[in-house]
mmCIF file of all heavy atoms in Angstrom:
data_model
loop_
_atom_site.group_PDB
_atom_site.id
_atom_site.type_symbol
_atom_site.label_atom_id
_atom_site.label_comp_id
_atom_site.label_asym_id
_atom_site.label_seq_id
_atom_site.Cartn_x
_atom_site.Cartn_y
_atom_site.Cartn_z
ATOM 1 N N TRP M 1 0.869 -1.180 0.000
ATOM 2 C CA TRP M 1 0.000 0.000 0.000
ATOM 3 C C TRP M 1 0.898 1.219 0.000
ATOM 4 O O TRP M 1 1.874 1.295 0.745
ATOM 5 C CB TRP M 1 -0.898 0.006 1.231
ATOM 6 C CG TRP M 1 -1.674 1.282 1.370
ATOM 7 C CD1 TRP M 1 -2.802 1.630 0.683
ATOM 8 C CD2 TRP M 1 -1.375 2.377 2.228
ATOM 9 N NE1 TRP M 1 -3.229 2.876 1.062
ATOM 10 C CE2 TRP M 1 -2.357 3.361 2.014
ATOM 11 C CE3 TRP M 1 -0.372 2.635 3.144
ATOM 12 C CZ2 TRP M 1 -2.376 4.560 2.689
ATOM 13 C CZ3 TRP M 1 -0.380 3.834 3.820
ATOM 14 C CH2 TRP M 1 -1.384 4.785 3.600
ATOM 15 N N MET M 2 0.590 2.172 -0.863
ATOM 16 C CA MET M 2 1.376 3.402 -0.943
ATOM 17 C C MET M 2 0.448 4.603 -1.021
ATOM 18 O O MET M 2 -0.674 4.493 -1.505
ATOM 19 C CB MET M 2 2.261 3.408 -2.194
ATOM 20 C CG MET M 2 3.356 2.379 -2.203
ATOM 21 S SD MET M 2 4.329 2.468 -3.725
ATOM 22 C CE MET M 2 5.312 3.919 -3.401
ATOM 23 N N ILE M 3 0.957 5.734 -0.577
ATOM 24 C CA ILE M 3 0.275 7.006 -0.775
ATOM 25 C C ILE M 3 1.271 7.894 -1.514
ATOM 26 O O ILE M 3 2.465 7.875 -1.220
ATOM 27 C CB ILE M 3 -0.185 7.622 0.560
ATOM 28 C CG1 ILE M 3 -1.048 8.842 0.319
ATOM 29 C CG2 ILE M 3 0.964 7.929 1.458
ATOM 30 C CD1 ILE M 3 -1.795 9.309 1.563
ATOM 31 N N SER M 4 0.778 8.621 -2.516
ATOM 32 C CA SER M 4 1.687 9.401 -3.347
ATOM 33 C C SER M 4 0.963 10.576 -3.974
ATOM 34 O O SER M 4 -0.257 10.560 -4.136
ATOM 35 C CB SER M 4 2.257 8.499 -4.454
ATOM 36 O OG SER M 4 3.060 9.238 -5.340
ATOM 37 N N HIS M 5 1.735 11.573 -4.376
ATOM 38 C CA HIS M 5 1.189 12.697 -5.145
ATOM 39 C C HIS M 5 0.925 12.263 -6.579
ATOM 40 O O HIS M 5 0.121 12.862 -7.274
ATOM 41 C CB HIS M 5 2.170 13.872 -5.168
ATOM 42 C CG HIS M 5 2.519 14.392 -3.817
ATOM 43 N ND1 HIS M 5 1.587 14.942 -2.975
ATOM 44 C CD2 HIS M 5 3.700 14.442 -3.155
ATOM 45 C CE1 HIS M 5 2.184 15.318 -1.855
ATOM 46 N NE2 HIS M 5 3.456 15.014 -1.933
ATOM 47 N N ASN M 6 1.653 11.225 -7.039
ATOM 48 C CA ASN M 6 1.568 10.775 -8.420
ATOM 49 C C ASN M 6 1.625 9.254 -8.442
ATOM 50 O O ASN M 6 2.678 8.655 -8.228
ATOM 51 C CB ASN M 6 2.728 11.383 -9.215
ATOM 52 C CG ASN M 6 2.682 11.045 -10.676
ATOM 53 O OD1 ASN M 6 2.443 9.910 -11.055
ATOM 54 N ND2 ASN M 6 2.937 12.035 -11.512
ATOM 55 N N ALA M 7 0.485 8.617 -8.713
ATOM 56 C CA ALA M 7 0.410 7.156 -8.660
ATOM 57 C C ALA M 7 1.325 6.502 -9.682
ATOM 58 O O ALA M 7 1.992 5.504 -9.377
ATOM 59 C CB ALA M 7 -1.037 6.701 -8.872
ATOM 60 N N ALA M 8 1.372 7.032 -10.908
ATOM 61 C CA ALA M 8 2.227 6.437 -11.946
ATOM 62 C C ALA M 8 3.691 6.465 -11.526
ATOM 63 O O ALA M 8 4.415 5.479 -11.690
ATOM 64 C CB ALA M 8 2.028 7.158 -13.273
ATOM 65 N N GLU M 9 4.117 7.567 -10.964
ATOM 66 C CA GLU M 9 5.499 7.686 -10.507
ATOM 67 C C GLU M 9 5.785 6.708 -9.365
ATOM 68 O O GLU M 9 6.836 6.069 -9.320
ATOM 69 C CB GLU M 9 5.765 9.115 -10.054
ATOM 70 C CG GLU M 9 7.202 9.384 -9.675
ATOM 71 C CD GLU M 9 7.406 10.835 -9.293
ATOM 72 O OE1 GLU M 9 7.134 11.702 -10.146
ATOM 73 O OE2 GLU M 9 7.822 11.074 -8.148
ATOM 74 N N ALA M 10 4.851 6.570 -8.435
ATOM 75 C CA ALA M 10 5.029 5.648 -7.308
ATOM 76 C C ALA M 10 5.131 4.206 -7.795
ATOM 77 O O ALA M 10 5.985 3.445 -7.325
ATOM 78 C CB ALA M 10 3.866 5.796 -6.329
ATOM 79 N N ILE M 11 4.284 3.825 -8.728
ATOM 80 C CA ILE M 11 4.322 2.461 -9.264
ATOM 81 C C ILE M 11 5.634 2.225 -10.003
ATOM 82 O O ILE M 11 6.272 1.173 -9.830
ATOM 83 C CB ILE M 11 3.105 2.201 -10.163
ATOM 84 C CG1 ILE M 11 1.816 2.246 -9.334
ATOM 85 C CG2 ILE M 11 3.236 0.860 -10.875
ATOM 86 C CD1 ILE M 11 0.543 2.302 -10.159
ATOM 87 N N ALA M 12 6.046 3.177 -10.822
ATOM 88 C CA ALA M 12 7.296 3.031 -11.575
ATOM 89 C C ALA M 12 8.491 2.907 -10.630
ATOM 90 O O ALA M 12 9.406 2.109 -10.879
ATOM 91 C CB ALA M 12 7.478 4.204 -12.528
ATOM 92 N N ARG M 13 8.490 3.673 -9.532
ATOM 93 C CA ARG M 13 9.572 3.554 -8.535
ATOM 94 C C ARG M 13 9.594 2.162 -7.923
ATOM 95 O O ARG M 13 10.650 1.563 -7.737
ATOM 96 C CB ARG M 13 9.390 4.603 -7.434
ATOM 97 C CG ARG M 13 10.172 5.854 -7.631
ATOM 98 C CD ARG M 13 10.256 6.740 -6.374
ATOM 99 N NE ARG M 13 9.264 6.531 -5.349
ATOM 100 C CZ ARG M 13 8.150 7.250 -5.207
ATOM 101 N NH1 ARG M 13 7.870 8.214 -6.048
ATOM 102 N NH2 ARG M 13 7.334 7.000 -4.216
ATOM 103 N N ALA M 14 8.404 1.646 -7.595
ATOM 104 C CA ALA M 14 8.330 0.307 -7.005
ATOM 105 C C ALA M 14 8.807 -0.749 -7.996
ATOM 106 O O ALA M 14 9.507 -1.698 -7.614
ATOM 107 C CB ALA M 14 6.896 0.009 -6.565
ATOM 108 N N VAL M 15 8.442 -0.609 -9.262
ATOM 109 C CA VAL M 15 8.899 -1.545 -10.299
ATOM 110 C C VAL M 15 10.419 -1.566 -10.338
ATOM 111 O O VAL M 15 11.039 -2.628 -10.392
ATOM 112 C CB VAL M 15 8.315 -1.156 -11.681
ATOM 113 C CG1 VAL M 15 9.057 -1.839 -12.818
ATOM 114 C CG2 VAL M 15 6.838 -1.494 -11.731
ATOM 115 N N ASP M 16 11.014 -0.391 -10.296
ATOM 116 C CA ASP M 16 12.468 -0.289 -10.338
ATOM 117 C C ASP M 16 13.099 -0.914 -9.096
ATOM 118 O O ASP M 16 14.034 -1.706 -9.189
ATOM 119 C CB ASP M 16 12.877 1.178 -10.465
ATOM 120 C CG ASP M 16 14.363 1.345 -10.662
ATOM 121 O OD1 ASP M 16 14.932 0.651 -11.537
ATOM 122 O OD2 ASP M 16 14.967 2.172 -9.950
ATOM 123 N N GLU M 17 12.578 -0.577 -7.913
ATOM 124 C CA GLU M 17 13.139 -1.079 -6.653
ATOM 125 C C GLU M 17 12.982 -2.596 -6.517
ATOM 126 O O GLU M 17 13.863 -3.267 -6.000
ATOM 127 C CB GLU M 17 12.475 -0.395 -5.460
ATOM 128 C CG GLU M 17 12.862 1.051 -5.291
ATOM 129 C CD GLU M 17 14.305 1.215 -4.845
ATOM 130 O OE1 GLU M 17 14.782 0.411 -4.019
ATOM 131 O OE2 GLU M 17 14.945 2.152 -5.342
ATOM 132 N N LEU M 18 11.826 -3.116 -6.952
ATOM 133 C CA LEU M 18 11.538 -4.541 -6.773
ATOM 134 C C LEU M 18 11.960 -5.391 -7.964
ATOM 135 O O LEU M 18 11.855 -6.612 -7.918
ATOM 136 C CB LEU M 18 10.046 -4.733 -6.497
ATOM 137 C CG LEU M 18 9.529 -4.042 -5.233
ATOM 138 C CD1 LEU M 18 8.019 -4.135 -5.168
ATOM 139 C CD2 LEU M 18 10.178 -4.641 -3.993
ATOM 140 N N ASP M 19 12.396 -4.747 -9.040
ATOM 141 C CA ASP M 19 12.861 -5.435 -10.240
ATOM 142 C C ASP M 19 11.816 -6.421 -10.779
ATOM 143 O O ASP M 19 12.100 -7.589 -10.996
ATOM 144 C CB ASP M 19 14.182 -6.160 -9.954
ATOM 145 C CG ASP M 19 14.874 -6.601 -11.229
ATOM 146 O OD1 ASP M 19 14.706 -5.932 -12.268
ATOM 147 O OD2 ASP M 19 15.580 -7.638 -11.198
ATOM 148 N N VAL M 20 10.596 -5.930 -10.962
ATOM 149 C CA VAL M 20 9.534 -6.776 -11.498
ATOM 150 C C VAL M 20 9.469 -6.634 -13.011
ATOM 151 O O VAL M 20 9.968 -5.659 -13.584
ATOM 152 C CB VAL M 20 8.150 -6.445 -10.875
ATOM 153 C CG1 VAL M 20 8.170 -6.652 -9.381
ATOM 154 C CG2 VAL M 20 7.726 -5.030 -11.205
ATOM 155 N N ASP M 21 8.867 -7.614 -13.668
ATOM 156 C CA ASP M 21 8.796 -7.562 -15.126
ATOM 157 C C ASP M 21 7.382 -7.384 -15.651
ATOM 158 O O ASP M 21 7.139 -7.486 -16.846
ATOM 159 C CB ASP M 21 9.435 -8.797 -15.747
ATOM 160 C CG ASP M 21 8.793 -10.091 -15.288
ATOM 161 O OD1 ASP M 21 7.776 -10.036 -14.581
ATOM 162 O OD2 ASP M 21 9.313 -11.163 -15.640
ATOM 163 N N GLY M 22 6.429 -7.099 -14.764
ATOM 164 C CA GLY M 22 5.070 -6.876 -15.215
ATOM 165 C C GLY M 22 4.240 -6.128 -14.194
ATOM 166 O O GLY M 22 4.426 -6.289 -12.990
ATOM 167 N N VAL M 23 3.341 -5.287 -14.693
ATOM 168 C CA VAL M 23 2.421 -4.533 -13.855
ATOM 169 C C VAL M 23 1.017 -4.747 -14.397
ATOM 170 O O VAL M 23 0.786 -4.601 -15.598
ATOM 171 C CB VAL M 23 2.751 -3.014 -13.872
ATOM 172 C CG1 VAL M 23 1.704 -2.222 -13.110
ATOM 173 C CG2 VAL M 23 4.137 -2.763 -13.316
ATOM 174 N N ILE M 24 0.104 -5.116 -13.526
ATOM 175 C CA ILE M 24 -1.295 -5.252 -13.899
ATOM 176 C C ILE M 24 -2.046 -4.097 -13.259
ATOM 177 O O ILE M 24 -1.971 -3.900 -12.052
ATOM 178 C CB ILE M 24 -1.883 -6.593 -13.409
ATOM 179 C CG1 ILE M 24 -1.117 -7.759 -14.024
ATOM 180 C CG2 ILE M 24 -3.373 -6.670 -13.745
ATOM 181 C CD1 ILE M 24 -1.505 -9.113 -13.442
ATOM 182 N N VAL M 25 -2.743 -3.322 -14.078
ATOM 183 C CA VAL M 25 -3.519 -2.196 -13.584
ATOM 184 C C VAL M 25 -4.988 -2.557 -13.718
ATOM 185 O O VAL M 25 -5.458 -2.885 -14.804
ATOM 186 C CB VAL M 25 -3.223 -0.899 -14.385
ATOM 187 C CG1 VAL M 25 -4.111 0.238 -13.912
ATOM 188 C CG2 VAL M 25 -1.759 -0.530 -14.260
ATOM 189 N N GLY M 26 -5.708 -2.514 -12.607
ATOM 190 C CA GLY M 26 -7.128 -2.825 -12.621
ATOM 191 C C GLY M 26 -7.875 -1.928 -11.664
ATOM 192 O O GLY M 26 -7.309 -1.440 -10.694
ATOM 193 N N VAL M 27 -9.122 -1.680 -11.980
ATOM 194 C CA VAL M 27 -9.975 -0.874 -11.111
ATOM 195 C C VAL M 27 -11.357 -1.486 -11.087
ATOM 196 O O VAL M 27 -11.744 -2.228 -11.983
ATOM 197 C CB VAL M 27 -10.089 0.593 -11.587
ATOM 198 C CG1 VAL M 27 -8.747 1.281 -11.534
ATOM 199 C CG2 VAL M 27 -10.683 0.678 -12.960
ATOM 200 N N SER M 28 -12.085 -1.154 -10.043
ATOM 201 C CA SER M 28 -13.485 -1.538 -10.005
ATOM 202 C C SER M 28 -14.255 -0.582 -10.908
ATOM 203 O O SER M 28 -13.740 0.443 -11.339
ATOM 204 C CB SER M 28 -14.013 -1.485 -8.574
ATOM 205 O OG SER M 28 -13.834 -0.190 -8.062
ATOM 206 N N ARG M 29 -15.485 -0.887 -11.186
ATOM 207 C CA ARG M 29 -16.289 -0.004 -12.035
ATOM 208 C C ARG M 29 -16.588 1.277 -11.273
ATOM 209 O O ARG M 29 -17.114 1.250 -10.171
ATOM 210 C CB ARG M 29 -17.573 -0.701 -12.444
ATOM 211 C CG ARG M 29 -17.272 -1.788 -13.435
ATOM 212 C CD ARG M 29 -18.536 -2.417 -13.973
ATOM 213 N NE ARG M 29 -18.250 -3.291 -15.081
ATOM 214 C CZ ARG M 29 -17.740 -4.500 -14.991
ATOM 215 N NH1 ARG M 29 -17.432 -4.988 -13.827
ATOM 216 N NH2 ARG M 29 -17.518 -5.231 -16.063
ATOM 217 N N ARG M 30 -16.227 2.386 -11.878
ATOM 218 C CA ARG M 30 -16.381 3.683 -11.221
ATOM 219 C C ARG M 30 -16.990 4.679 -12.189
ATOM 220 O O ARG M 30 -17.286 4.373 -13.327
ATOM 221 C CB ARG M 30 -15.010 4.206 -10.771
ATOM 222 C CG ARG M 30 -14.270 3.268 -9.855
ATOM 223 C CD ARG M 30 -14.388 3.737 -8.455
ATOM 224 N NE ARG M 30 -13.642 2.839 -7.582
ATOM 225 C CZ ARG M 30 -12.914 3.242 -6.597
ATOM 226 N NH1 ARG M 30 -12.789 4.493 -6.338
ATOM 227 N NH2 ARG M 30 -12.294 2.380 -5.836
ATOM 228 N N ASN M 31 -17.076 5.915 -11.746
ATOM 229 C CA ASN M 31 -17.662 6.965 -12.573
ATOM 230 C C ASN M 31 -16.692 7.465 -13.642
ATOM 231 O O ASN M 31 -15.538 7.064 -13.703
ATOM 232 C CB ASN M 31 -18.153 8.118 -11.698
ATOM 233 C CG ASN M 31 -17.026 8.794 -10.947
ATOM 234 O OD1 ASN M 31 -15.894 8.836 -11.397
ATOM 235 N ND2 ASN M 31 -17.345 9.330 -9.779
ATOM 236 N N ALA M 32 -17.168 8.377 -14.486
ATOM 237 C CA ALA M 32 -16.372 8.879 -15.614
ATOM 238 C C ALA M 32 -15.092 9.582 -15.159
ATOM 239 O O ALA M 32 -14.043 9.445 -15.800
ATOM 240 C CB ALA M 32 -17.217 9.814 -16.457
ATOM 241 N N LEU M 33 -15.146 10.333 -14.062
ATOM 242 C CA LEU M 33 -13.956 11.025 -13.568
ATOM 243 C C LEU M 33 -12.866 10.024 -13.192
ATOM 244 O O LEU M 33 -11.701 10.211 -13.521
ATOM 245 C CB LEU M 33 -14.309 11.898 -12.361
ATOM 246 C CG LEU M 33 -13.128 12.609 -11.701
ATOM 247 C CD1 LEU M 33 -12.457 13.564 -12.683
ATOM 248 C CD2 LEU M 33 -13.593 13.357 -10.463
ATOM 249 N N TYR M 34 -13.258 8.953 -12.526
ATOM 250 C CA TYR M 34 -12.273 7.955 -12.129
ATOM 251 C C TYR M 34 -11.653 7.293 -13.357
ATOM 252 O O TYR M 34 -10.462 7.039 -13.401
ATOM 253 C CB TYR M 34 -12.912 6.912 -11.203
ATOM 254 C CG TYR M 34 -11.881 6.112 -10.465
ATOM 255 C CD1 TYR M 34 -11.309 6.593 -9.294
ATOM 256 C CD2 TYR M 34 -11.447 4.880 -10.941
ATOM 257 C CE1 TYR M 34 -10.350 5.873 -8.615
ATOM 258 C CE2 TYR M 34 -10.486 4.156 -10.269
ATOM 259 C CZ TYR M 34 -9.943 4.659 -9.114
ATOM 260 O OH TYR M 34 -8.987 3.943 -8.449
ATOM 261 N N ARG M 35 -12.468 7.020 -14.382
ATOM 262 C CA ARG M 35 -11.945 6.426 -15.617
ATOM 263 C C ARG M 35 -10.950 7.373 -16.278
ATOM 264 O O ARG M 35 -9.929 6.944 -16.813
ATOM 265 C CB ARG M 35 -13.084 6.062 -16.560
ATOM 266 C CG ARG M 35 -13.888 4.856 -16.070
ATOM 267 C CD ARG M 35 -14.807 4.301 -17.138
ATOM 268 N NE ARG M 35 -15.771 5.266 -17.635
ATOM 269 C CZ ARG M 35 -16.985 5.467 -17.127
ATOM 270 N NH1 ARG M 35 -17.377 4.770 -16.084
ATOM 271 N NH2 ARG M 35 -17.798 6.359 -17.643
ATOM 272 N N LEU M 36 -11.224 8.676 -16.225
ATOM 273 C CA LEU M 36 -10.305 9.668 -16.781
ATOM 274 C C LEU M 36 -8.978 9.637 -16.025
ATOM 275 O O LEU M 36 -7.900 9.617 -16.624
ATOM 276 C CB LEU M 36 -10.924 11.060 -16.703
ATOM 277 C CG LEU M 36 -10.020 12.220 -17.110
ATOM 278 C CD1 LEU M 36 -9.738 12.162 -18.602
ATOM 279 C CD2 LEU M 36 -10.675 13.540 -16.739
ATOM 280 N N LEU M 37 -9.031 9.608 -14.696
ATOM 281 C CA LEU M 37 -7.806 9.566 -13.890
ATOM 282 C C LEU M 37 -7.024 8.293 -14.151
ATOM 283 O O LEU M 37 -5.798 8.311 -14.238
ATOM 284 C CB LEU M 37 -8.151 9.675 -12.398
ATOM 285 C CG LEU M 37 -8.714 11.015 -11.939
ATOM 286 C CD1 LEU M 37 -9.143 10.922 -10.492
ATOM 287 C CD2 LEU M 37 -7.709 12.120 -12.154
ATOM 288 N N ARG M 38 -7.733 7.165 -14.298
ATOM 289 C CA ARG M 38 -7.060 5.898 -14.585
ATOM 290 C C ARG M 38 -6.301 6.016 -15.894
ATOM 291 O O ARG M 38 -5.179 5.550 -16.025
ATOM 292 C CB ARG M 38 -8.052 4.748 -14.637
ATOM 293 C CG ARG M 38 -7.355 3.417 -14.930
ATOM 294 C CD ARG M 38 -8.303 2.304 -15.158
ATOM 295 N NE ARG M 38 -9.131 2.591 -16.298
ATOM 296 C CZ ARG M 38 -10.065 1.792 -16.750
ATOM 297 N NH1 ARG M 38 -10.320 0.667 -16.148
ATOM 298 N NH2 ARG M 38 -10.766 2.111 -17.802
ATOM 299 N N GLY M 39 -6.927 6.673 -16.894
ATOM 300 C CA GLY M 39 -6.257 6.877 -18.179
ATOM 301 C C GLY M 39 -4.967 7.658 -18.027
ATOM 302 O O GLY M 39 -3.964 7.365 -18.681
#
């Protein structure tokens, strides 16, 4: 679990630190604003 000003940056940092080779991005069904932010 992380808290960040920028989710993409936080995930990319974790990928680098943990040396993973894949990221799965998923969300529950939400409103249009949330879909925009996910994009």
Side-chain angles (χ1 to χ4, degrees):
W1 172 78
M2 293 180 76
I3 188 167
S4 175
H5 301 297
N6 184 315
E9 185 178 301
I11 295 167
R13 264 194 340 263
V15 164
D16 186 49
E17 289 290 322
L18 299 172
D19 194 30
V20 300
D21 58 6
V23 174
I24 300 172
V25 176
V27 296
S28 58
R29 289 186 170 77
R30 303 258 181 139
N31 63 30
L33 176 62
Y34 196 84
R35 288 193 301 270
L36 174 68
L37 292 174
R38 180 187 61 180

